[in-house]
Structures are given as structure tokens and as C-alpha cells.
Amino acid sequence: MTWYPTPTPSQAGRAVLVTGANAGLGFFTSARLAKAGAHVVLSGRDPDRLAAAVAAIRGRIPAASVETLVIDVASLDSVRAGVDRLLDRAPLDTVVLNAGMVHTPATRHESVDGHELVLATNVLGHFALLGGTLPHLAPAARVITIGSLSTRLSTFRTGDLQLRRSYDAWRAYAQSKIAASALAFELDRRLRRAATDAAESVGAASVTPRVHSLIAHPGYSISGRTPRVPGVNEPTRVERFADALQSPFAQGKHRGADVIVHAAAADDVEGGQFWGPRYEVKGPPSLGTPTRTSRDPAIGAAVWAFAEEAVGAAFDVEAVGR
Ligand SMILES: NC(=O)c1ccc[n+]([C@@H]2O[C@H](COP(=O)([O-])OP(=O)(O)OC[C@H]3O[C@@H](n4cnc5c(N)ncnc54)[C@H](OP(=O)(O)O)[C@@H]3O)[C@@H](O)[C@H]2O)c1
């Protein structure tokens, strides 16, 4: 199986940050953008796993421009330290908010900051990361939030985002992806508002936002259909066999990365879009329709206010969006 199933437009000169880059979709997204010439900052919580990912990429592309950045997105201190290091570097052209807990715990756990752990990992860490780095993004940068089909399969309770009253493993995952999607579209709305205000103040007709916030979802992408990469993806024979049985409705993570790479690199991409595989669970990148809940401005504003309070920082998009 090739790591590079489809060609990627040149990314030379572009700087990319990928969270959760040491495995799965984040790894293949990083490898493919690096092959296309981007400088890729691979972020993850474990230095050894990050080193294995970099070694794997350099094993294929010795000249790859890659570096690592340790961030545990479940810890706000770790995120703040990572933001400080990013602010010392060149502005980012693409940020892929990919890190996530996919296999969520059966019982409710809390992060070091006292937030429900899946929410902390899949939502709040990225919100804080973005809040810190948004002023440092390059013009026309793309912020790509990884969405999920689970957003179509669960209700959403803005009154219990910490799941104190109603935790279960599936709800924790689905709620986190709905919340992350709602924040991605809320960011797009705020960026557009800032751009419109700025245009009106100088009598200009229309402007595009300074930064594009959009969603890419990878369908159903599983390890056992993914190339073996030492230290990165080493499914057992049993997992390969079990995953082969799912092949009619599943793809490898290297193929799931097609949609994310498209969102990062293709010309026909802009803020507010929702990209996914053409056949929902698999297939080439295709523009899709997000759920009404994730696009609802009232829900977006509520989740935004909740996230600001949870991370203890206001996020002034209007000031940086112009
Ligand atoms: N696979 C799918 O079918 C699918 C479908 C829809 C959406 N998604 C989304 O796609 C993203 C990646 O999923 P995947 O299938 O590639 O999962 P994966 O193979 O389990 O990879 C998850 C990545 O996130 C990292 N991560 C987890 N917790 C972290 C933390 N606290 N701090 C920093 N990094 C952390 C993991 O690092 P460690 O190795 O250290 O754990 C790993 O690098 C997730 O956001 C997921 O919700 C996946």
C-alpha cells in the first residue's frame, strides 16, 4: 500500500502544524504534506512516538522538512507552553486540529484541569491552542478541524458539556466532535464578521476572511487497512483480519487523510466548508453538508462562551480577523 495514493499540490514555502501527528490520520497527513514540500511541525504528547514518526517520514523522504513539538492537548499548561514555542517560529499557513481520543473510556475521567477528559482532549486543548496562535497565523491560513460522522448520530446538550449528569463513552466522543465542529463554524462566522466590519470601515465592497476555518472528516478509517509503519502503525494479524471484514465500508487511515490533505492543499477550499469522503465512509474528497446543529449560530456562540470560560481566556477574533 502506498502512503501517497493521490498527488498533492506543491506545499513548498508553507508551514503546517498537525496535532496528534505521531499516529493515524495525523501521521499520514503530515507525511503527505511534507512530501509535497511543506515544513511540518508534528505535534504529539510523547517524544518517543514523535521521534518514531519523524524517523518514518525521513526514511521515505530524507530531505523532509519536519520537526516535533510536544503538546499534550489534554493539559492547558502543556498547550500554553506549546503556544509559546510556536510564537517564536515562522507564522503557520495551515493548522490541522487532529489529535483526539477515539477509544473513549467507559467511565467519566477528568483532565489535570478538571474538565471531562474527552472534551478536554478533543475540544478544549485545541481551542486554547488556536486562541494563542491565531494572531500568529499567516494571511489566508487554513484552520482544519477534524469532524466526524458521529456528529450525525447523537443529540447535543449544551447544558451538560462536561457530561456530569449523562456520561457514556459514545456520548463523550460524539458530543466532543459536535462541540469541535460548532466551534470551527463559529470561528468562521467571527472571522467573516471581522472581515466585513473591516471592509465597511474603509468603504470596500467585500473581503475574504484573513483566516479560513473549515472541517474535514475522514469517514471511517481503520488501522488494519492502513500500511504498516514501524513505531507508528503496527496492527496485529488479528486486527488486520477483523478490519479486512469491514473493508466494504471502511478505508485505511492513509486514505482517510486524503480529505484532510485536500482541505490543506487544494485550491477549491475556503472557510465554512465541510469536506468528507464522497461515499460518506470512504472515497475521494467531496464537499458535504454539515449537521444543522454544528452550523447553528446560537449553539456555536454557546459552546464558544463555554470554551472561553473553561480555558480561562477570551479569544478576540475580531482583533486578529481584519
Ligand atoms: N479514524 C476514523 O475513522 C475517524 C473518523 C472521524 C473522525 N476521526 C478523528 O480523526 C482524528 C484522528 O483519529 P485517528 O483515527 O487517526 O486516531 P488515532 O490513530 O488514535 O490517533 C490519534 C492521535 O491523537 C493523539 N492524541 C490523543 N490524545 C492526545 C493528547 N492528549 N495530546 C496530544 N495528542 C493526543 C494520539 O497520540 P498518542 O499516540 O500519544 O495516543 C495520536 O497521535 C481524531 O480527532 C478523530 O476523532 C477519526
Side-chain angles (χ1 to χ4, degrees):
M1 282 185 264
T2 173
W3 292 15
Y4 313 110
T6 54
T8 304
S10 171
Q11 296 296 291
R14 291 179 69 80
V16 179
L17 171 70
V18 181
T19 67
N22 59 282
L25 296 155
F27 171 77
F28 287 98
T29 299
S30 301
R32 287 169 62 177
L33 293 175
K35 181 164 193 276
H39 174 72
V40 183
V41 182
L42 287 94
S43 179
R45 60 182 158 174
D46 182 279
D48 293 339
R49 288 199 284 273
L50 282 171
V54 163
I57 291 174
R58 290 222 171 99
R60 296 274 177 120
I61 324 153
S65 179
V66 287
E67 64 176 311
T68 62
L69 174 62
V70 174
I71 298 179
D72 177 347
V73 291
S75 157
L76 293 174
D77 276 349
S78 176
V79 171
R80 287 183 203 110
V83 166
D84 286 346
R85 293 201 292 280
L86 286 167
L87 297 183
D88 281 341
R89 302 176 193 200
L92 294 163
D93 298 282
T94 308
V95 178
V96 183
L97 303 173
N98 165 79
M101 281 180 94
V102 179
H103 304 290
T104 49
T107 55
R108 186 179 182 279
H109 294 258
E110 289 193 348
S111 69
V112 286
D113 304 294
H115 301 299
E116 189 279 311
L117 186 60
V118 182
L119 177 80
T121 308
N122 294 4
V123 183
L124 297 177
H126 284 149
F127 186 75
L129 178 65
L130 211 49
T133 50
L134 194 66
H136 194 58
L137 300 189
R142 295 180 185 181
V143 175
I144 301 162
T145 295
I146 308 304
S148 167
L149 286 175
S150 67
T151 58
R152 299 199 196 289
L153 304 172
S154 177
T155 53
F156 188 59
R157 299 175 184 169
T158 47
D160 188 24
L161 289 170
Q162 296 276 8
L163 295 178
R164 289 197 174 89
R165 294 193 297 278
S166 56
Y167 184 93
D168 71 54
W170 162 252
R171 176 172 291 283
Y173 181 70
Q175 279 239 148
S176 75
K177 300 311 283 189
I178 298 170
S181 302
L183 288 173
F185 288 133
E186 178 65 14
L187 176 59
D188 173 62
R189 282 189 292 273
R190 290 180 185 230
L191 288 162
R192 285 177 189 279
R193 215 152 47 222
T196 304
D197 290 351
E200 282 174 4
S201 70
V202 295
S206 72
V207 287
T208 49
R210 198 180 79 77
V211 170
H212 299 275
S213 171
L214 63 140
I215 294 180
H217 87 83
Y220 183 41
S221 306
I222 54 181
S223 299
R225 305 294 297 161
T226 305
R228 185 180 178 281
V229 183
V232 173
N233 185 53
E234 300 179 285
T236 62
R237 286 171 67 162
V238 173
E239 283 166 331
R240 282 220 177 274
F241 178 74
D243 284 1
L245 298 177
Q246 302 194 69
S247 59
F249 50 88
Q251 60 187 349
K253 297 198 183 191
H254 62 312
R255 295 313 309 247
D258 284 355
V259 177
I260 308 172
V261 170
H262 185 92
D267 287 338
D268 60 344
V269 169
E270 61 175 58
Q273 291 179 334
F274 178 85
W275 287 88
R278 183 178 301 156
Y279 311 113
E280 288 287 359
V281 287
K282 64 197 288 189
S286 163
L287 204 49
T289 309
T291 64
R292 257 185 305 170
T293 301
S294 61
R295 287 228 60 118
D296 184 323
I299 290 175
V303 179
W304 189 279
F306 164 84
E308 281 189 331
E309 192 178 334
V311 306
F315 192 158
D316 190 1
V317 178
E318 282 69 23
V320 295
R322 291 188 265 277

